[in-house]
Amino acid sequence: MSAAGAFTDAVNRVRSEGRYRVFADLERIAGRFPVARNHGPGPDEVVVWCSNDYLGQGQNKTVIEAGVSAIRKMGSGSGGTRNISGSHHLHVELEAELASLHGKEAALLFTSGYVSNSATLSTIGKILPDCIIFTDELNHASMIEGIRFSKCEKRIFQHNDLHDLEVQLKYADHDRPKLIAFESVYSMDGDIAPIAAICDLAEKYGAMTYLDEVHAVGMYGPNGGGISERDNVAGRITIIEGTLAKAFGCMGGYIAASSDIVDAIRSFASGFIFTTSIPPVVAGAALASVRYVREHDELRVRHQNRAERLKALLRNAGLPLMASSTHVVPVFAGCPVRAKQMTDMLMTDHGIYVQPINYPTVPRGTERLRLTPTPFHDDAMMDELVNALCEVYAATAPVSIAAE
């Protein structure tokens, strides 16, 4: 087979399994979130039900104006890497705000949450080459990549299983450095890690902790510091990682930790050193968003209210709602073909945009529609969604797919 044929064959395998991804051609409309203009099949305008802009901050006038002000004052680009002309006062202010949010001494910005995980975890391996990293089996791909690049010994523990984690910690070499890497909110199932209990084990066996808060920061805790703030355990976590691209409605990732740890990551992480820093427009908007979200707890209250109402409507309608204790609302489909059929029907027949979630994001056979209600999804939108879901579920059925 030729090289070109290999690429075609790879895509055809994905198509044959019914999980070929098609991107919706949408245009966000400032001030009208969650409504978007649709340039693909279906109505001219659709309601978005799968955005990670969890609090609608990407449409907040205060955030937009801060970004506009920054680009007018400073220009469109940052001018370079943080080490070479690309470190601006907005970066310094934003890092100080994020450190304060999590009660840490320092913070460090990255171009995305993926990069912050991959770069930080891989750099820990450079600094502590004998480290054993204990990782939850459902950790995000960016964490898996960072641990692989670290070249440290990896021990995978069963998802949120404290007994399995303790057994592995107990029988690990006492003298070797250890790190437990896990998430607070797992984004596909919507469940929460037992952070305090994991901290107890870390302290008992002399391990550091690395907590990914990307699907919780901004949305939980009195100031939006995440589940670790809500549960009053942020001070027990060694490194907290977060994102500016979800609840804060912008782009970028970060870590917050002690000054020594942040300085070490800043000095050794290739994913930080060799990439252009986030531009002023993003840093300015993100700074305004973090400050706004910290001061407006009513956003978090409304967000939780919306999620609980949607779950209740789905249950009452007899739809296959999967278990979730957070704002993530997964609805079971069971195969990629059915998931795609349903989301196509929702878009073309009802003006509702939901993206199907397939393997490898979730295990085969657990394909789903992942709904993310925001403070701006009103009762009428919810009623329309549930009625549409009842219709598309009745019109479709799981299809048996032979995976290659």
mmCIF file of all heavy atoms in Angstrom, residues 31 39 96 105 139 146 203 232 260 266 319 342 349 354 363 380 387:
data_model
loop_
_atom_site.group_PDB
_atom_site.id
_atom_site.type_symbol
_atom_site.label_atom_id
_atom_site.label_comp_id
_atom_site.label_asym_id
_atom_site.label_seq_id
_atom_site.Cartn_x
_atom_site.Cartn_y
_atom_site.Cartn_z
ATOM 1 N N GLY A 31 -23.623 38.187 22.208
ATOM 2 C CA GLY A 31 -24.792 38.693 22.900
ATOM 3 C C GLY A 31 -26.019 37.815 22.817
ATOM 4 O O GLY A 31 -27.029 38.099 23.465
ATOM 5 N N HIS A 39 -24.139 27.562 9.217
ATOM 6 C CA HIS A 39 -23.776 27.613 7.796
ATOM 7 C C HIS A 39 -23.809 26.226 7.159
ATOM 8 O O HIS A 39 -23.393 26.064 6.006
ATOM 9 C CB HIS A 39 -22.381 28.228 7.635
ATOM 10 C CG HIS A 39 -22.314 29.675 8.019
ATOM 11 N ND1 HIS A 39 -22.675 30.694 7.169
ATOM 12 C CD2 HIS A 39 -21.948 30.260 9.192
ATOM 13 C CE1 HIS A 39 -22.507 31.857 7.773
ATOM 14 N NE2 HIS A 39 -22.079 31.631 9.002
ATOM 15 N N ALA A 96 -0.953 36.134 38.607
ATOM 16 C CA ALA A 96 -1.182 36.485 40.012
ATOM 17 C C ALA A 96 -2.639 36.236 40.393
ATOM 18 O O ALA A 96 -2.930 35.743 41.495
ATOM 19 C CB ALA A 96 -0.815 37.947 40.249
ATOM 20 N N GLU A 105 1.095 30.069 45.771
ATOM 21 C CA GLU A 105 2.095 31.137 45.717
ATOM 22 C C GLU A 105 2.278 31.691 44.308
ATOM 23 O O GLU A 105 2.589 32.870 44.138
ATOM 24 C CB GLU A 105 3.446 30.603 46.220
ATOM 25 C CG GLU A 105 3.474 30.276 47.694
ATOM 26 C CD GLU A 105 4.810 29.704 48.133
ATOM 27 O OE1 GLU A 105 5.630 29.321 47.262
ATOM 28 O OE2 GLU A 105 5.046 29.635 49.347
ATOM 29 N N ASN A 139 -8.046 9.342 33.198
ATOM 30 C CA ASN A 139 -7.451 10.663 33.022
ATOM 31 C C ASN A 139 -7.435 11.074 31.550
ATOM 32 O O ASN A 139 -7.387 10.241 30.647
ATOM 33 C CB ASN A 139 -6.020 10.678 33.568
ATOM 34 C CG ASN A 139 -5.972 10.921 35.061
ATOM 35 O OD1 ASN A 139 -6.946 11.365 35.662
ATOM 36 N ND2 ASN A 139 -4.832 10.625 35.681
ATOM 37 N N GLY A 146 1.526 13.446 28.784
ATOM 38 C CA GLY A 146 2.562 14.015 29.625
ATOM 39 C C GLY A 146 3.275 12.967 30.460
ATOM 40 O O GLY A 146 4.502 13.005 30.617
ATOM 41 N N GLU A 203 -0.662 11.881 51.716
ATOM 42 C CA GLU A 203 0.065 12.262 52.923
ATOM 43 C C GLU A 203 0.547 11.031 53.692
ATOM 44 O O GLU A 203 1.645 11.018 54.249
ATOM 45 C CB GLU A 203 -0.832 13.143 53.791
ATOM 46 C CG GLU A 203 -1.078 14.521 53.151
ATOM 47 C CD GLU A 203 -2.292 15.241 53.702
ATOM 48 O OE1 GLU A 203 -2.895 14.749 54.686
ATOM 49 O OE2 GLU A 203 -2.655 16.298 53.145
ATOM 50 N N ASN A 232 -12.678 22.481 50.309
ATOM 51 C CA ASN A 232 -11.685 23.035 51.237
ATOM 52 C C ASN A 232 -10.426 22.178 51.320
ATOM 53 O O ASN A 232 -9.878 21.954 52.400
ATOM 54 C CB ASN A 232 -12.300 23.214 52.629
ATOM 55 C CG ASN A 232 -11.484 24.159 53.499
ATOM 56 O OD1 ASN A 232 -10.850 25.090 52.998
ATOM 57 N ND2 ASN A 232 -11.482 23.923 54.807
ATOM 58 N N ASP A 260 8.512 27.548 44.011
ATOM 59 C CA ASP A 260 9.627 26.697 43.573
ATOM 60 C C ASP A 260 9.203 25.769 42.444
ATOM 61 O O ASP A 260 9.936 25.587 41.462
ATOM 62 C CB ASP A 260 10.157 25.872 44.745
ATOM 63 C CG ASP A 260 10.967 26.710 45.738
ATOM 64 O OD1 ASP A 260 11.356 27.838 45.373
ATOM 65 O OD2 ASP A 260 11.193 26.227 46.864
ATOM 66 N N ARG A 266 8.672 26.426 34.697
ATOM 67 C CA ARG A 266 8.973 27.536 33.788
ATOM 68 C C ARG A 266 10.357 27.390 33.166
ATOM 69 O O ARG A 266 10.576 27.726 31.989
ATOM 70 C CB ARG A 266 8.898 28.856 34.565
ATOM 71 C CG ARG A 266 9.152 30.099 33.738
ATOM 72 C CD ARG A 266 9.174 31.344 34.618
ATOM 73 N NE ARG A 266 10.334 31.370 35.495
ATOM 74 C CZ ARG A 266 11.534 31.837 35.134
ATOM 75 N NH1 ARG A 266 11.724 32.296 33.909
ATOM 76 N NH2 ARG A 266 12.537 31.836 35.994
ATOM 77 N N LEU A 319 -35.971 9.214 29.279
ATOM 78 C CA LEU A 319 -34.786 9.150 28.419
ATOM 79 C C LEU A 319 -33.610 8.568 29.206
ATOM 80 O O LEU A 319 -33.547 8.699 30.433
ATOM 81 C CB LEU A 319 -34.462 10.546 27.899
ATOM 82 C CG LEU A 319 -35.473 11.083 26.882
ATOM 83 C CD1 LEU A 319 -35.340 12.597 26.726
ATOM 84 C CD2 LEU A 319 -35.308 10.381 25.542
ATOM 85 N N MET A 342 -29.021 10.608 15.520
ATOM 86 C CA MET A 342 -29.808 11.459 16.421
ATOM 87 C C MET A 342 -29.361 12.908 16.354
ATOM 88 O O MET A 342 -30.194 13.825 16.295
ATOM 89 C CB MET A 342 -29.726 10.920 17.850
ATOM 90 C CG MET A 342 -30.494 9.617 18.056
ATOM 91 S SD MET A 342 -30.721 9.208 19.805
ATOM 92 C CE MET A 342 -29.042 9.012 20.338
ATOM 93 N N ASP A 349 -33.842 18.916 11.888
ATOM 94 C CA ASP A 349 -35.289 18.958 12.111
ATOM 95 C C ASP A 349 -35.714 19.893 13.242
ATOM 96 O O ASP A 349 -36.863 20.341 13.274
ATOM 97 C CB ASP A 349 -35.815 17.552 12.422
ATOM 98 C CG ASP A 349 -35.580 16.567 11.284
ATOM 99 O OD1 ASP A 349 -35.279 17.023 10.162
ATOM 100 O OD2 ASP A 349 -35.669 15.343 11.517
ATOM 101 N N VAL A 354 -26.007 19.303 18.974
ATOM 102 C CA VAL A 354 -25.311 18.473 19.953
ATOM 103 C C VAL A 354 -24.306 17.634 19.169
ATOM 104 O O VAL A 354 -24.652 17.077 18.125
ATOM 105 C CB VAL A 354 -26.272 17.535 20.719
ATOM 106 C CG1 VAL A 354 -25.500 16.717 21.749
ATOM 107 C CG2 VAL A 354 -27.379 18.320 21.385
ATOM 108 N N PRO A 363 -15.401 4.747 25.877
ATOM 109 C CA PRO A 363 -15.274 3.353 25.443
ATOM 110 C C PRO A 363 -16.356 2.975 24.427
ATOM 111 O O PRO A 363 -17.464 3.510 24.443
ATOM 112 C CB PRO A 363 -15.451 2.564 26.754
ATOM 113 C CG PRO A 363 -15.103 3.525 27.838
ATOM 114 C CD PRO A 363 -15.546 4.870 27.346
ATOM 115 N N ALA A 380 -37.820 27.299 28.206
ATOM 116 C CA ALA A 380 -38.379 26.978 26.881
ATOM 117 C C ALA A 380 -37.383 26.174 26.052
ATOM 118 O O ALA A 380 -37.769 25.206 25.367
ATOM 119 C CB ALA A 380 -38.770 28.262 26.157
ATOM 120 N N ASN A 387 -38.331 17.422 24.255
ATOM 121 C CA ASN A 387 -39.320 16.936 23.282
ATOM 122 C C ASN A 387 -38.645 16.420 22.019
ATOM 123 O O ASN A 387 -39.032 15.380 21.464
ATOM 124 C CB ASN A 387 -40.296 18.062 22.928
ATOM 125 C CG ASN A 387 -41.229 18.408 24.072
ATOM 126 O OD1 ASN A 387 -41.494 17.579 24.945
ATOM 127 N ND2 ASN A 387 -41.733 19.629 24.084
#
